[in-house]
Amino acid sequence: MTASRITNIWSKVHYNPNRPVSRVVVESTTSFQFDAKESPSGITLIARGARANMYCETIEVYDGLIEWIRVREQPQGVIFEIKTNHPSPWQIASEPGIPYRTVINFVRDHLFNLFSSKVFVIDAGHGGNDPGGRGPVDLLEKNVTMAMATALQDLLKPLKSQIYLTRAGDYPLSQWMRCNLALKMNADVFISFHTYHSTDTSIQGTAVKYNPRAPGCDYLARFTLEEIVRKIKRPSRGVEPDQQLHHLGFIPGLTVEPVAISNWVEEGLLRNPTLYKKIAQGIFNGLLRFWGEKKGEK
């Protein structure tokens, strides 16, 4: 009997009508026998007798539940280590076809329960006659911040979070009006999107600023910066307080600058819709770490 060949593995968050799951899909030429072993940090799946027709590596996922997937080929078969950041119920199903698919579903109830109770105010910086920075090829900051805000809204919406956008169109708002919406809605967090702009077009990378009046907000900024950098693979420009967020009082608030629009490379990245999804996921992961670690207290 010819051994099953593993041809691909990928992961995606699936929002079904009942409960969201993280799906890990193993594609192969035929079905295979497997052993699955659970641990506090995830599961290990052994495809017995299978061989790998793919590059064996560690695949970064970072979807808020699954951290990474490691693929190794051993004499007994192909081994898949799936690392999760907290224990999660899981089940394995088969989807016959070409390719044959073995699907491991990890339940995301923990994330749903955490985020469904939260109130977010998401701010797209600039607007109207205040365009913000302009890229070398004329991309405007006010437009890309709107795309960032929408991407984060789209990520949070299936988790039933309460979401309020400071602006839904192209018009200006004062900083007080933006922060006042967070106060009015008693927000759990205020997130304002911007990009960095400089006459020095060599400057690039990600920075996150925070409300210095909110206890622990520096931890939130640091976690968010680390997670965005991990998703979009840009240099870090660091964390610093933002006095413009003092209107928020004690509400945690961030000013997120994922890239420098004045940099030729990063303006080009802003033309790819995938970047916005990765930025949103990085912010999500930063919030998860912040709330999961009790605002930085270990």
Side-chain angles (χ1 to χ4, degrees):
M1 182 177 178
T2 304
S4 179
R5 300 287 176 171
I6 308 298
T7 57
N8 193 22
I9 183 168
W10 50 274
S11 177
K12 185 178 182 179
V13 177
H14 178 63
Y15 293 99
N16 59 40
N18 298 318
R19 63 200 319 193
V21 297
S22 290
R23 304 182 81 210
V24 175
V25 180
V26 179
E27 296 183 347
S28 57
T29 54
T30 60
S31 63
F32 53 80
Q33 298 296 313
F34 61 82
D35 297 316
K37 182 173 66 175
E38 183 175 352
S39 71
S41 60
I43 71 167
T44 299
L45 182 75
I46 303 175
R48 298 202 306 265
R51 303 265 62 91
N53 270 24
M54 59 173 288
Y55 184 64
C56 294
E57 60 180 338
T58 298
I59 302 165
E60 296 180 348
V61 179
Y62 306 131
D63 68 357
L65 175 57
I66 298 175
E67 292 284 289
W68 46 256
I69 303 166
R70 182 170 296 148
V71 184
R72 295 183 289 121
E73 188 172 36
Q74 297 291 327
Q76 68 267 39
V78 181
I79 300 174
F80 306 95
E81 296 177 64
I82 304 172
K83 171 71 166 61
T84 59
N85 59 24
H86 63 81
S88 170
W90 55 275
Q91 59 180 200
I92 299 178
S94 298
E95 296 181 357
I98 303 175
Y100 190 95
R101 289 177 172 175
T102 302
V103 181
I104 309 104
N105 288 317
F106 293 83
V107 177
R108 294 171 64 90
D109 283 0
H110 169 75
L111 304 179
F112 182 87
N113 293 337
L114 177 60
F115 280 83
S116 64
S117 64
K118 303 300 184 183
V119 179
F120 294 89
V121 170
I122 304 173
D123 174 47
H126 305 283
N129 59 6
D130 173 18
R134 182 186 295 268
V137 195
D138 287 340
L139 202 59
L140 295 179
E141 182 177 1
K142 69 175 183 178
N143 295 330
V144 300
T145 60
M146 194 73 239
M148 291 176 192
T150 301
L152 182 57
Q153 180 187 39
D154 291 344
L155 179 64
L156 295 171
K157 191 181 296 182
L159 296 172
K160 307 302 181 185
S161 301
Q162 294 184 54
I163 307 163
Y164 301 94
L165 299 181
T166 57
R167 67 179 178 94
D170 186 15
Y171 47 83
L173 292 171
S174 68
Q175 184 67 21
W176 180 87
M177 293 173 68
R178 298 169 193 268
C179 292
N180 191 55
L181 179 61
L183 293 168
K184 181 179 178 182
M185 298 305 171
N186 194 26
D188 290 286
V189 66
F190 172 88
I191 299 170
S192 182
F193 286 106
H194 288 263
T195 62
Y196 183 78
H197 185 273
S198 173
T199 55
D200 183 353
T201 59
S202 68
I203 297 176
Q204 58 183 313
T206 306
V208 178
K209 303 174 183 179
Y210 62 90
N211 176 15
R213 297 182 64 188
C217 200
D218 54 334
Y219 284 99
L220 173 58
R222 177 165 58 85
F223 293 158
T224 302
L225 174 67
E226 291 172 357
E227 296 299 328
I228 293 175
V229 167
R230 186 155 68 162
K231 289 299 293 185
I232 69 174
K233 311 299 184 187
R234 304 311 299 162
S236 168
R237 290 191 293 108
V239 168
E240 63 180 87
D242 186 350
Q243 297 301 328
Q244 292 193 76
L245 297 177
H246 77 277
H247 297 296
L248 293 169
F250 298 123
I251 293 176
L254 301 178
T255 298
V256 180
E257 297 177 350
V259 296
I261 198 171
S262 49
N263 178 269
W264 285 86
V265 172
E266 295 193 339
E267 187 201 28
L269 294 175
L270 287 167
R271 298 180 186 277
N272 185 345
T274 301
L275 178 73
Y276 301 97
K277 295 179 181 180
K278 290 182 177 181
I279 292 168
Q281 186 67 60
I283 292 171
F284 180 93
N285 293 348
L287 290 165
L288 180 62
R289 284 179 61 187
F290 180 60
W291 288 320
E293 297 184 25
K294 297 182 179 179
K295 301 183 180 180
E297 298 176 4
K298 298 182 180 180

